[in-house]
Amino acid sequence: MDTILIRKVTESDTHSILNNIFTRNTLVEVESQVKDSINEMAEGRRIHLVAVHEDKVVGNILIIKEQHVLYSHRCILKDMIVNPAFQHKGIAKRLFEEGCKHLGEINCSHVVTTCRSNGTENFYKALGMTECGRIPNGILEPWDENKLYNEVILYKEFLK
Ligand SMILES: CC(C)(COP(=O)(O)OP(=O)(O)OC[C@H]1O[C@@H](n2cnc3c(N)ncnc32)[C@H](O)[C@@H]1OP(=O)(O)O)[C@@H](O)C(=O)NCCC(=O)NCCS
């Protein structure tokens, strides 16, 4: 979509993220995450991008650098969410591709993520990620009668 802008998150996005992306969360939780993102982006430890349509946040991606010395070249991809009204328009793919362009800022070459084994892994594979393992019953949803899912681990390596 031409009308979608992908950019780094700002504090003024907080209410729009709460209303359109993290609808299960509280304002305090979203405020805290946005503040952490702004601080950690300045310190080269995180990339937090949003997709914006007419001042409304309709997509979100969070990429967090691993802190352990052995994994400092790796980052975790989290909170990849597109508002249902804007799905299937290539927005998640744009968020991922744009996020990966910023990997140099956090000095990372490997992006790692996990997801439910419910078909979502095919979304990450469509982004070019490779499955490298599964954890049986690795995800538990406390809001849905403790429903369990097998967890799929995926990665993408960016060679220099
Ligand atoms: C998964 C999600 C982020 C996809 O967002 P989107 O903007 O609709 O995705 P895109 O339009 O950019 O699609 C990118 C590619 O993934 C594929 N894809 C999209 N959703 C998919 C799904 N649920 N399952 C399998 N493949 C999917 C598309 O066909 C497309 O493939 P292509 O490039 O080969 O045509 C969105 O459906 C969402 O927010 N879901 C709820 C939260 C979620 O599941 N997040 C990720 C796991 S934690």
Side-chain angles (χ1 to χ4, degrees):
M1 284 180 92
D2 293 342
T3 54
I4 301 288
L5 173 70
I6 309 285
R7 59 159 172 75
K8 288 184 178 174
V9 73
T10 66
E11 253 183 281
S12 62
D13 294 322
T14 302
H15 282 89
S16 194
I17 292 174
L18 176 70
N19 293 333
N20 303 307
I21 302 294
F22 295 126
T23 51
R24 286 181 197 274
N25 291 76
T26 64
L27 176 60
V28 171
E29 288 167 342
V30 177
E31 271 174 346
S32 165
Q33 195 204 50
V34 170
K35 279 186 183 142
D36 285 351
S37 286
I38 291 165
N39 291 337
E40 293 197 12
M41 280 196 286
E43 293 164 3
R45 293 195 281 136
R46 182 185 289 214
I47 301 158
H48 186 164
L49 303 183
V50 287
V52 180
H53 175 71
E54 295 175 350
D55 292 336
K56 173 176 165 179
V57 174
V58 298
N60 184 87
I61 187 172
L62 187 55
I63 300 175
I64 299 182
K65 184 178 176 70
E66 289 271 20
Q67 294 304 300
H68 192 283
V69 64
L70 294 180
Y71 306 131
S72 65
H73 62 310
R74 280 176 26 185
C75 52
I76 305 292
L77 167 54
K78 294 177 61 179
D79 296 345
M80 167 67 97
I81 301 173
V82 172
N83 179 280
F86 289 82
Q87 290 176 4
H88 308 297
K89 299 175 192 297
I91 294 175
K93 193 170 193 174
R94 281 185 59 193
L95 281 163
F96 180 76
E97 289 175 353
E98 195 60 36
C100 292
K101 285 184 196 164
H102 291 273
L103 288 181
E105 292 169 22
I106 58 173
N107 203 17
C108 285
S109 57
H110 285 60
V111 180
V112 179
T113 197
T114 77
C115 67
R116 293 167 187 77
S117 163
N118 60 357
T120 308
E121 65 270 34
N122 295 322
F123 158 67
Y124 287 112
K125 289 175 187 174
L127 301 184
M129 300 191 78
T130 303
E131 179 177 336
C132 58
R134 289 187 178 223
I135 303 174
N137 295 326
I139 294 179
L140 180 150
E141 283 182 348
W143 56 82
D144 192 8
E145 295 176 344
N146 290 341
K147 189 169 178 186
L148 288 162
Y149 292 85
N150 294 335
E151 183 176 20
V152 185
I153 307 167
L154 303 106
Y155 76 97
K156 185 165 184 176
E157 181 177 6
F158 292 82
L159 296 170
K160 288 184 182 160

